[in-house]
């Protein structure tokens, strides 16, 4: 085997072993590869910056991050939390249901699981523990429900997948709607079961007038996902433009309706936005360099040949990819999966005629499950950190929820219409 | 003198890592809003807004990545690294950073040359040379090298202090 093929592989292994930032590792792989093959190293700039220059769809990333940061301020999340409490009322395990519902609402604004868990998560866990729920269960349901974030539109992982695979972002957003709602439904069923079993406390009762009052208070925030989704689904706006409109709307709501954003807070929000955008999006550019090497060395073709030698049944292949990504997702960051491994399997998926929207939604769901799966699910670390709860105890609580999420993943894998029903009807 | 130098470095870091990308983001955001407003409410499509959004976006990302480099917030795989003690982590950091510093130093001149070469091309409407659009990559590269070197120095310092505290040899 030629050494040029080994250079990206060796660099990848070194990146993992030596705690090298993935962006740096990919760029360095490009340098050493081009140095060895005698190519122009300047090409790396062309690949990295060219991807950003032509990646119109990627512009949605900083806009979604900004919307999430604005909407994560105290009063907005308070309003959503109280509204959800009033909606659930006196059911047993009310706050656990509220946790799931708030995540669903929040997912319509942020598109990020980490923003959900780290933002509103602390408030949810504190309220649940105060109400008599076990801290590990509270953390586990917060982590599990945060996985809805990038599945229900908008979604930053969908935007990146669209960029990597050339799939329509609008179709992916549409495709994520039903699975996002189903995630909330299956988690609610689990909450119903466990609340009865453990006799979790009932919620508060609210009068109709109180319900209307809290609904009105939450209304401006609740309108954000509506504006975004209606804008995209009616075709009035592209998803990127919808991101800008949602960001503008979030800004107006935070400034005037909730009055939570002073100059200093706005500056902090902007600072966090640009750092978040820089961190995620530069990785997309660096991944383009890595993808270039991988394509030049024909690695996807080799993998396809190998896998197709085993099976050409697309459902079996989806099962294999799902298992592989689930295992990798237990140890690796979502960004690594998306930028390193996904470009290698996309050509095979396309070759077998698997619908790219279906695959995009299911692989994002898969990666989000990985975020909550022990031993290294990042969402578990976040919830453990913000609540000072022992990690091991959360691990035990999350396992049944992971089983529920995996069951849904399998259903979505083998019934593509769950994903494709809406995009096929609305986009033809 | 060293205080003045530290404060000058801090100002430069804040300007490049925070104020430039924040300004670029606002630039992109306002251009986007103008683009949508003119298209749907004035029934007119400005040609220049798209280029402003793209340039604003690229500058936001590249300079934002400089700030992420400063905060060591780039995505990395720490599973194995976390298993090591202070000494092991310092050695890993030293080796990993050296590999990247060498690669980035090799890249600087070809990157500069490529960006300069791109100056012959301009954006379609505003006729801004592409070299200006791509230039922040050099800032990202330079910032990354400097922070990597700083981390190497910290790692060396850690190793030396460990050796001093344990003259019999490093554990």
């Amino acid at each position: 085997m030629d050494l040029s093929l080994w250079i990206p592989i060796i660099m990848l292994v070194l990146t993992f072993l030596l705690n090298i930032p993935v962006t740096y590792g990919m760029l360095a792989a490009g340098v050493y590869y081009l140095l060895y093959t005698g190519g122009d190293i300047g090409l790396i700039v062309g690949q990295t910056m060219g991807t950003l220059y032509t990646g119109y769809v990627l512009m949605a990333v900083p806009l979604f991050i900004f919307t999430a940061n604005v909407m994560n301020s105290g009063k907005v999340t308070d309003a959503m939390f109280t509204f959800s409490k009033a909606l659930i009322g006196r059911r047993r395990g009310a706050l656990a249901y509220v946790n799931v519902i708030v995540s669903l609402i929040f997912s319509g604004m942020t598109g990020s699981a980490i923003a959900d868990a780290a933002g509103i998560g602390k408030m949810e866990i504190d309220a649940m523990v105060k109400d008599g729920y076990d801290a590990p269960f509270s953390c586990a349901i917060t982590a599990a429900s945060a996985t809805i974030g990038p599945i229900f539109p908008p979604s930053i992982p969908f935007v990146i997948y669209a960029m990597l695979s050339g799939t329509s972002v609008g179709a992916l957003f549409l495709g994520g709607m039903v699975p996002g709602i189903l995630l909330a439904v299956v988690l609610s069923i689990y909450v119903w079961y466990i609340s009865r079993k453990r006799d979790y406390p009932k919620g508060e009762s609210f009068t109709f007038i109180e319900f209307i009052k809290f609904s009105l208070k939450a209304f401006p925030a609740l309108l954000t996902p509506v504006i975004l989704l209606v804008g995209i689904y009616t075709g009035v706006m592209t998803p990127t433009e919808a991101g800008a409109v949602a960001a503008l709307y979030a800004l107006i709501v935070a400034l005037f309706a909730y009055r939570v954003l002073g100059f200093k807070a706005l500056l902090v929000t902007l600072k966090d936005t640009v750092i978040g955008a820089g961190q995620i999006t530069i990785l997309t550019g660096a991944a383009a360099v890595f993808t270039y090497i991988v394509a030049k060395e024909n690695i996807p073709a080799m993998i396809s040949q190998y896998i197709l030698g085993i099976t050409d049944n697309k459902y079996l292949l989806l099962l294999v990819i799902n298992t592989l990504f689930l295992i990798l997702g237990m140890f690796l960051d979502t960004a690594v999966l998306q930028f390193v491994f996904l470009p290698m399997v996309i050509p095979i998926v396309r070759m077998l005629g698997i619908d790219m929207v279906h695959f995009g939604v299911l692989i994002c769901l898969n990666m989000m499950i990985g975020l909550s799966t022990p031993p290294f699910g990042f969402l578990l670390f976040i919830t453990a950190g913000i609540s000072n709860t022992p990690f091991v105890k959360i691990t035990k609580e999350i396992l049944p929820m992971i089983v529920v999420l995996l069951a849904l993943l399998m259903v979505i894998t083998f019934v593509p219409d769950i994903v494709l029903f809406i995009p096929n009807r609305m986009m033809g | 003198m060293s205080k003045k130098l530290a404060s000058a470095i801090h100002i430069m870091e804040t300007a490049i890592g925070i104020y430039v990308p924040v300004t670029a983001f606002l630039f992109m955001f306002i251009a986007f809003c103008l683009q949508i407003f003119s298209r749907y409410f004035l029934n007119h499509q400005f040609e220049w807004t798209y280029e402003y959004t793209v340039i604003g976006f690229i500058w936001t990302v590249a300079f934002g990545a400089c700030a992420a480099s400063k905060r060591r917030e780039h995505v990395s795989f720490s599973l194995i690294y976390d298993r090591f003690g202070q000494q092991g982590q310092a050695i890993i950091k030293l080796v990993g950073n050296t590999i990247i510093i060498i690669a980035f130093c090799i890249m600087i001149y070809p990157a500069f040359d490529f960006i300069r070469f791109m100056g012959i091309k301009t954006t379609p409407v505003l006729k801004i040379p592409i070299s200006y659009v791509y230039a922040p990559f050099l800032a990202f590269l330079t910032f990354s090298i400097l922070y990597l070197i700083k981390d190497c120095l910290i790692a060396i310092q850690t190793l030396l202090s460990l050796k001093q505290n344990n003259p019999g040899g490093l554990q």
Side-chain angles (χ1 to χ4, degrees):
Chain A
M1 210 184 271
D2 191 9
L3 182 65
S4 60
L5 178 70
W6 282 102
I7 290 172
I9 298 169
I10 292 168
M11 264 319 291
L12 199 65
V13 172
L14 286 177
T15 300
F16 291 155
L17 289 179
L18 302 177
N19 189 35
I20 296 171
V22 180
T23 306
Y24 294 170
M26 285 172 159
L27 291 174
V31 173
Y32 291 126
Y33 175 81
L34 289 166
L35 205 62
Y36 179 77
T37 55
D40 177 11
I41 295 172
L43 264 178
I44 294 170
V45 186
Q47 285 290 333
T48 311
M49 301 307 265
T51 303
L52 303 180
Y53 187 64
T54 52
Y56 176 75
V57 75
L58 276 178
M59 280 188 234
V61 174
L63 297 167
F64 288 149
I65 294 176
F66 180 67
T67 310
N69 287 343
V70 170
M71 283 302 183
N72 236 330
S73 54
K75 267 192 185 172
V76 185
T77 47
D78 269 351
M80 285 192 291
F81 193 69
T82 324
F83 162 73
S84 306
K85 264 166 73 176
L87 189 73
I88 293 296
R90 272 195 62 76
R91 277 181 185 81
R92 187 166 299 284
L95 281 185
Y97 289 110
V98 167
N99 196 317
V100 176
I101 290 175
V102 169
S103 289
L104 184 63
I105 299 171
F106 209 60
S107 72
M109 300 176 195
T110 66
S112 154
I114 289 159
D116 184 339
I120 205 164
K122 182 163 174 49
M123 191 173 109
E124 290 170 334
I125 296 167
D126 286 350
M128 286 178 75
V129 172
K130 205 173 150 192
D131 211 30
Y133 292 80
D134 328 307
F137 171 77
S138 310
C139 292
I141 192 72
T142 304
S145 66
T147 55
I148 304 171
I151 305 303
F152 192 82
S155 156
I156 293 171
F158 280 174
V159 171
I160 293 167
Y161 172 81
M163 180 74 197
L164 294 172
S165 66
T167 314
S168 149
V169 186
L172 284 164
F173 281 5
L174 286 168
M177 280 182 83
V178 177
I181 293 166
L182 283 178
L183 269 172
V185 171
V186 293
L187 285 174
S188 297
I189 293 171
Y190 178 72
V191 166
W192 173 82
Y193 163 76
I194 206 82
S195 300
R196 258 148 196 78
K197 196 178 163 197
R198 295 185 185 170
D199 201 22
Y200 279 144
K202 285 186 175 178
E204 293 172 47
S205 63
F206 291 85
T207 62
F208 183 69
I209 302 288
E210 279 174 326
F211 175 70
I212 296 292
K213 192 181 131 197
F214 292 131
S215 303
L216 285 175
K217 213 172 171 188
F219 185 71
L222 290 174
L223 215 56
T224 317
V226 177
I227 289 175
L228 202 114
L229 298 180
V230 169
I232 297 171
Y233 303 148
T234 53
V236 172
M237 290 176 256
T238 64
T240 315
E241 286 175 342
V245 172
L248 180 65
Y249 178 76
L251 194 61
I252 292 169
V253 164
L255 281 173
F256 303 109
Y258 295 105
R259 295 186 184 163
V260 283
L261 215 57
F263 179 74
K264 270 190 179 169
L266 180 63
L267 195 64
V268 171
T269 305
L270 284 167
K271 204 167 94 177
D272 290 343
T273 302
V274 295
I275 293 173
Q279 184 198 352
I280 297 173
T281 324
I282 200 75
L283 188 50
T284 319
V289 176
F290 197 75
T291 311
Y292 165 80
I293 305 172
V294 161
K296 210 158 176 244
E297 287 301 319
N298 237 358
I299 294 174
M302 287 180 207
I303 298 173
S304 328
Q305 218 173 7
Y306 177 73
I307 290 180
L308 293 177
I310 301 169
T311 179
D312 60 355
N313 180 311
K314 62 180 181 179
Y315 290 106
L316 200 60
L317 181 81
L318 283 178
L319 200 66
V320 171
I321 293 175
N322 261 325
T323 313
L324 185 72
F325 271 67
L326 276 170
I327 295 168
L328 289 172
M330 285 162 69
F331 302 96
L332 298 174
D333 191 276
T334 322
V336 179
L337 288 183
Q338 210 163 11
F339 291 109
V340 178
F341 295 99
L342 204 52
M344 295 190 197
V345 296
I346 284 174
I348 313 167
V349 171
R350 194 173 276 132
M351 205 183 285
L352 281 181
I354 295 167
D355 190 284
M356 294 309 283
V357 174
H358 175 221
F359 181 70
V361 173
L362 78 87
I363 210 68
C364 282
L365 175 58
N366 184 313
M367 290 190 293
M368 291 312 121
I369 295 173
L371 269 181
S372 325
T373 309
F376 298 103
F378 193 53
L379 292 173
L380 303 178
F381 286 111
I382 289 180
T383 53
I386 57 177
S387 65
N388 288 325
T389 307
F391 183 80
V392 183
K393 288 187 177 174
I394 306 176
T395 309
K396 278 181 192 158
E397 282 291 340
I398 196 99
L399 285 176
M401 299 181 203
I402 297 291
V403 172
V404 169
L405 296 177
L406 285 177
L408 180 66
L409 177 68
M410 284 304 118
V411 173
I412 291 172
T413 303
F414 294 109
V415 189
D417 274 344
I418 294 174
V419 173
L420 299 175
F421 173 72
I422 298 183
N424 283 351
R425 275 193 79 115
M426 295 188 80
M427 298 179 96
Chain B
M1 180 63 192
S2 65
K3 254 189 178 178
K4 272 187 181 173
L5 184 69
S7 128
I9 291 171
H10 177 71
I11 291 170
M12 195 188 72
E13 275 183 325
T14 316
I16 294 179
I18 303 296
Y19 294 119
V20 174
V22 164
T23 311
F25 175 75
L26 289 173
F27 201 63
M28 163 195 161
F29 185 43
I30 292 166
F32 244 126
C33 294
L34 269 174
Q35 182 178 311
I36 299 162
F37 181 79
S38 68
R39 189 185 316 153
Y40 297 110
F41 296 101
L42 307 177
N43 214 11
H44 174 75
Q45 170 85 55
F46 290 125
E47 285 178 338
W48 49 268
T49 48
Y50 175 73
E51 283 185 14
Y52 274 120
T53 55
V54 174
I55 297 167
F57 168 66
I58 292 183
W59 279 51
T60 304
V61 170
F63 286 107
C66 291
S69 300
K70 185 191 170 191
R71 289 199 193 183
R72 285 34 170 199
E73 279 187 8
H74 287 293
V75 178
S76 60
F77 180 77
S78 59
L79 195 62
I80 298 160
Y81 177 80
D82 289 343
R83 301 256 151 196
F84 284 87
Q86 237 186 331
Q87 184 199 337
Q89 289 191 345
I91 293 170
I92 289 177
K93 195 107 279 193
L94 215 52
V95 176
N97 284 13
T98 308
I99 293 171
I100 303 300
I101 291 169
I102 294 170
F104 282 12
C105 286
I106 294 171
M107 193 177 9
I108 280 191
Y109 183 72
F112 171 74
D113 202 38
F114 181 88
I115 290 168
R116 196 178 52 182
F117 169 73
M118 289 305 280
I120 57 164
K121 271 185 162 183
T122 60
T123 60
V125 181
L126 297 167
K127 304 292 174 204
I128 296 169
I130 297 290
S131 52
Y132 291 0
V133 182
Y134 284 10
F137 185 83
L138 286 174
F140 166 67
L141 213 55
T142 314
F143 261 66
S144 302
I145 293 172
L146 292 176
Y147 291 127
L148 287 165
I149 292 174
K150 192 179 168 185
D151 282 352
C152 279
L153 294 176
I154 293 170
I156 292 170
Q157 217 170 18
T158 310
L159 288 174
L160 289 177
S161 71
L162 283 172
K163 200 176 175 187
Q164 240 167 19
N165 294 338
N166 186 11
L170 290 171
Q171 293 295 310

